[in-house]
Amino acid sequence: MKIPFELAQSIVDRAMRILGKNVNIMDDAAQVIGSGDPSRIGEYHYAAAVAIAENRTVEVDKDNMEELRCKHTGINVPVALGPDIVGVVGITGEPDEVRGYGELLKEFVELMLQQTLLTEESQLKREACAHFVADLISENQEEESILAVRAALLGFRFGIPRVAVVISLHRGSGKGYPFIGELGTGREELETQKLRNNIMELVRTNFATCEQDMLTFSSGDHVVVLKSIVDGPGDENWASQLRESCAKLQERLSPIVGGITIGIGRPVASPSGIRASYAEAFSACHAGKRLWGPGRIYFVDDLGVAELIREIPAATRRRFVERIIGRLLENDT
């Protein structure tokens, strides 16, 4: 891992406020990437190079300044991330005065790097999960064997029941929220992205809380959650518990976006079933909004059959008809 320039300078600024000493941070090539002296950024630091090569703290005093090609006394401590030396932290001053700070600053830098790495990995996984969910609900779904491999890599299991939940974000009037259509300047676009991230984090921390829950933005004004059902679809409590969780989410998000309508499909366990549950949830959300108004929670089974058939896509209608005909045939046998 490379130490990011922004992180290096941020650590330098914070450390200098605390220590009252000049601090330098060098990367794994001994180049200064953060310093209390801006003119030193980009310089090659010979003492840091020695610290990296020999994996040891290098102290610079008046006797070896010339040998180490340094203009100031101080100490230079290697910074490690796992088995790798990723840089050096240097403190300017007499070695006897700053020696005690060196190890503390090294540990602080290493802790910040570990946190940064974890954050980056977490963000990358979230993005990969979002793409995976988008592919799961796509009409052109990949083969189940491929989806199973991707799911395993992300830590998701097929075979456990999940229900699709479509969260439509809108103004109080029911009109779509302006994530995409009303962008203007670059600043507005940046603020929009921040808002999207904030919404996703609220959904993640207040609704999609199980490690087997999946979520994504399916468009500018829809969040899709594939919510795992802990008790199983046969438990009568799952629907009421899910409705209660959705109501709490509405309370959290409504002040931010103005209004929320939620549609919920039926529980499924297979990749192909997830696509069907999503179609049901999407239809329930938008049919319910048209028929009874925005700002409510609609289960697909709550809608009247005639109204639902007029609203839902052809693929979902076929699934509905096949299920009903299948039950009739079973009753006739």
Side-chain angles (χ1 to χ4, degrees):
M1 176 184 179
K2 291 283 187 181
I3 303 177
F5 281 84
E6 296 82 3
L7 178 62
Q9 191 59 50
S10 173
I11 293 173
V12 165
D13 294 339
R14 293 170 64 181
M16 288 181 61
R17 284 197 298 270
I18 296 171
L19 302 178
K21 303 286 185 181
N22 182 64
V23 174
N24 300 311
I25 293 182
M26 284 66 70
D27 63 13
D28 57 352
Q31 184 180 49
V32 179
I33 56 174
S35 177
D37 180 0
S39 66
R40 300 200 63 186
I41 301 295
E43 283 187 0
Y44 178 75
H45 197 292
Y46 184 80
V50 175
I52 293 170
E54 300 180 6
N55 191 17
R56 67 177 179 88
T57 297
V58 175
E59 297 187 355
V60 182
D61 55 33
K62 294 178 180 178
D63 296 331
N64 62 5
M65 284 176 60
E66 185 175 351
E67 176 187 348
L68 293 173
R69 308 175 193 176
C70 292
K71 299 177 181 178
H72 306 283
T73 59
I75 62 170
N76 299 277
V77 187
V79 173
L81 191 61
D84 302 320
I85 304 299
V86 295
V88 174
V89 59
I91 307 176
T92 302
E94 293 300 321
D96 289 341
E97 296 178 2
V98 300
R99 187 178 295 118
Y101 299 130
E103 193 63 29
L104 289 174
L105 191 53
K106 161 193 163 69
E107 291 182 5
F108 176 71
V109 173
E110 289 177 347
L111 182 62
M112 292 292 290
L113 289 175
Q114 290 168 5
Q115 185 61 47
T116 300
L117 184 61
L118 288 174
T119 301
E120 289 179 352
E121 289 178 348
S122 177
Q123 183 61 33
L124 287 172
K125 182 177 180 180
R126 288 177 180 179
E127 291 175 2
C129 291
H131 287 300
F132 181 57
V133 175
D135 289 343
L136 274 176
I137 64 177
S138 170
E139 292 183 0
N140 301 314
Q141 198 180 72
E142 294 177 310
E143 293 182 7
E144 289 202 11
S145 59
I146 297 175
L147 291 172
V149 171
R150 291 178 62 188
L153 291 173
L154 292 170
F156 295 125
R157 300 194 310 274
F158 287 135
I160 65 174
R162 288 185 177 87
V163 60
V165 179
V166 171
I167 304 165
S168 174
L169 312 171
H170 52 75
R171 300 182 182 89
S173 63
K175 293 182 179 179
Y177 199 78
F179 283 122
I180 301 296
E182 299 181 14
L183 292 180
T185 66
R187 181 63 182 172
E188 288 172 343
E189 185 171 359
L190 178 61
E191 292 303 318
T192 296
Q193 187 58 50
K194 288 181 180 179
L195 180 59
R196 284 169 60 107
N197 291 342
N198 187 27
I199 289 170
M200 288 294 281
E201 190 59 29
L202 281 172
V203 174
R204 186 177 289 110
T205 56
N206 292 280
F207 185 68
T209 54
C210 176
E211 64 177 8
Q212 288 298 315
D213 293 344
M214 313 180 202
L215 70 162
T216 189
F217 253 108
S218 67
S219 65
D221 54 4
H222 289 82
V223 177
V224 177
V225 180
L226 304 181
K227 181 74 176 167
S228 56
I229 301 174
V230 178
D231 297 327
D235 192 313
E236 294 182 357
N237 291 326
W238 76 266
S240 60
Q241 290 174 355
L242 184 56
R243 187 184 292 275
E244 182 179 346
S245 297
C246 288
K248 291 179 179 178
L249 182 64
Q250 282 182 316
E251 292 179 6
R252 293 273 188 172
L253 284 180
S254 292
I256 299 175
V257 300
I260 296 173
T261 302
I262 296 177
I264 301 171
R266 295 183 179 87
V268 294
S270 66
S272 58
I274 285 174
R275 165 62 194 169
S277 183
Y278 162 72
E280 292 171 344
F282 188 90
S283 297
C285 178
H286 289 276
K289 193 188 300 183
R290 292 190 190 99
L291 294 168
W292 295 292
R296 298 173 63 180
I297 300 166
Y298 299 105
F299 280 76
V300 68
D301 286 331
D302 292 342
L303 302 180
V305 175
E307 291 87 353
L308 180 61
I309 289 176
R310 286 200 300 268
E311 296 286 345
I312 60 179
T316 308
R317 288 203 301 268
R318 285 195 299 271
R319 181 170 179 255
F320 179 81
V321 171
E322 288 170 0
R323 185 172 65 254
I324 297 301
I325 291 176
R327 289 176 182 173
L328 292 174
L329 291 175
E330 288 177 2
N331 292 335
D332 287 341
T333 57

